[in-house]
Amino acid sequence: MTVTDVSATAPNAQGYRGFKLGGFHFSRDEFFVHLSWPTGKHVISADTFLKALQRDVAWDFFYGTVNFDHVFGTVNHYGTVDMFAGRFNDAYRKAELDHSENFDTLLIRETFKEMLDDWTNASFDPFASPTETGKPFGVKNGSNTAAVTRRRVAANRMVGVPGDEQIRTDATHPINRMFADVPQDDPDIHAEPGFEGEVAAYNLFAYLSRSDVTWNPSVVSVCKASLYCPTTEEYILPVVHGNDRVEWFVQLSDEIVWEVHDRDTGAPRSKVTMKAGDVAAMPGDIRHQGYSSKRSMLLVWENASPGLPELISTGQVSVYPVDF
Ligand code: PHB
Ligand code: FE
């Protein structure tokens, strides 16, 4: 067996294949995803599961922890990934029912990609706002491979500079209904003679107004380990993200309410209401989930330094950006 051999069963009565990864088993029916592992089992609504699975795949397991719900999720070790049940749930821990297994990233990535493709019907786009897509439920009905294999934008330097031409137009990305009032004019560039090819600017608000996905940060600028990852948000962030480093949020428009809980136990820590112009630093020891009533624009600012998780977990660096 090679590292990318995915273990799957023939379709069940509803038309969906089953999947196995280590001691974890996954199956879906018309409404639910059923999970089991050596010490327990769990049920998650198909829409919750597919929307979280879509992000975990698209973000290649992201920074730190991706909780699908209060029981199941993944922890990224950047080369390997833990898949867990109950590990960040105080009650499961106390009852010693939590379970975790470590997999080569290649294997879990391939398994998740096949599961996402098999379990997403033609009518459903897991990246879309609930008002802009059909339902995920029912017996197997086609597939939506184009949607679930969308790649998020990842600039090498900055959107709009040579080699990073991801500018959006009416033909490819119409303005979203919620952002009809966003001005679309381009900035004026006045470069010193001789520097015309090295100075670039674009209208980030116009760019974001044309995003066709929700809760999917794209990397629009890269400066060493500093990544600007703006995104458009509507309804609920489909995962509960557990940080392994500090993460900054700049609310670019409208409003998001964040539920912030302790990363390890799930105990509530705070509720943060961010209005346009607000800036917040999310500590390195929390988990959070955002709610956005109206489609809004958020800038997620990530520090991708590979050494950070270890510096934080060994206490050499604080979980706060500033200790007051
Ligand atoms: C986050 O967990 O920090 C996060 C993820 C996706 C978003 C916004 C924030 O769209
Ligand atoms: Fe986060």
Side-chain angles (χ1 to χ4, degrees):
M1 146 161 179
T2 70
V3 80
T4 53
D5 274 342
V6 172
S7 177
T9 66
N12 61 12
Q14 290 81 32
Y16 298 106
R17 292 158 74 206
F19 294 86
K20 175 180 175 308
L21 193 55
F24 285 89
H25 291 256
F26 303 82
S27 64
R28 95 152 268 191
D29 60 23
E30 287 193 48
F31 293 111
F32 297 111
V33 170
H34 302 268
L35 322 172
S36 68
W37 57 92
T39 54
K41 58 184 183 174
H42 186 52
V43 179
I44 304 182
S45 174
D47 63 338
T48 304
F49 188 86
L50 290 174
K51 288 193 284 186
L53 183 63
Q54 173 71 83
R55 270 82 188 169
D56 220 11
V57 167
W59 306 344
D60 211 25
F61 306 101
F62 210 34
Y63 298 105
T65 310
V66 170
N67 296 285
F68 285 42
D69 69 352
H70 59 296
V71 173
F72 178 78
T74 58
V75 182
N76 197 353
H77 298 293
Y78 313 97
T80 68
V81 175
D82 292 343
M83 187 150 86
F84 65 80
R87 172 156 155 204
F88 298 103
N89 180 308
D90 218 26
Y92 275 75
R93 296 281 283 189
K94 286 189 175 132
E96 296 182 10
L97 285 174
D98 58 302
H99 182 77
S100 177
E101 292 180 39
N102 182 260
F103 300 102
D104 197 285
T105 301
L106 276 174
L107 179 61
I108 179 168
R109 182 196 291 136
E110 286 311 306
T111 306
F112 275 15
K113 278 164 72 175
E114 282 201 25
M115 189 156 45
L116 177 64
D117 194 48
D118 191 72
W119 291 359
T120 303
N121 289 315
S123 52
F124 185 57
D125 178 353
F127 269 133
S129 157
T131 51
E132 295 179 349
T133 183
K135 292 188 172 49
F137 304 115
V139 298
K140 174 119 176 112
N141 173 21
S143 56
N144 198 356
T145 304
V148 301
T149 57
R150 267 197 204 95
R151 293 187 59 84
R152 65 174 167 163
V153 173
N156 292 309
R157 290 185 297 156
M158 187 186 90
V159 165
V161 306
D164 281 328
E165 293 96 350
Q166 297 96 344
I167 292 301
R168 296 165 170 171
T169 64
D170 282 344
T172 60
H173 295 83
I175 300 167
N176 185 270
R177 75 199 194 289
M178 291 280 195
F179 292 136
D181 58 342
V182 174
Q184 298 291 316
D185 49 322
D186 286 324
D188 295 329
I189 304 174
H190 304 279
E192 285 291 317
F195 293 89
E196 291 85 353
E198 294 179 35
V199 183
Y202 71 104
N203 181 342
L204 178 65
F205 288 89
Y207 179 82
L208 289 175
S209 72
R210 297 171 179 277
S211 169
D212 61 346
V213 294
T214 58
W215 305 103
N216 188 37
S218 47
V219 184
V220 301
S221 77
V222 182
C223 184
K224 296 190 177 163
S226 167
L227 308 185
Y228 266 10
C229 314
T231 157
T232 53
E233 320 296 47
E234 195 172 301
Y235 191 49
I236 302 175
L237 172 58
V239 307
V240 186
H241 177 220
N243 286 8
D244 63 5
R245 66 195 73 206
V246 171
E247 178 183 38
W248 290 84
F249 290 157
V250 181
Q251 189 69 39
L252 297 178
S253 85
D254 305 286
E255 182 175 307
I256 296 179
V257 176
W258 289 94
E259 294 277 357
V260 183
H261 293 180
D262 183 85
R263 182 191 58 203
D264 297 327
T265 66
R269 291 259 302 255
S270 66
K271 204 183 272 273
V272 181
T273 301
M274 296 190 66
K275 297 177 190 295
D278 287 347
V279 179
M282 292 284 164
D285 62 352
I286 57 95
R287 70 178 82 169
H288 52 204
Q289 186 170 37
Y291 294 71
S292 189
S293 285
K294 176 196 169 289
R295 201 177 188 92
S296 67
M297 299 182 182
L298 171 71
L299 175 62
V300 180
W301 183 22
E302 295 282 3
N303 182 340
S305 302
L308 263 183
E310 196 187 336
L311 286 172
I312 288 184
S313 64
T314 54
Q316 296 174 71
V317 164
S318 170
V319 294
Y320 302 110
V322 185
D323 282 300
F324 294 107

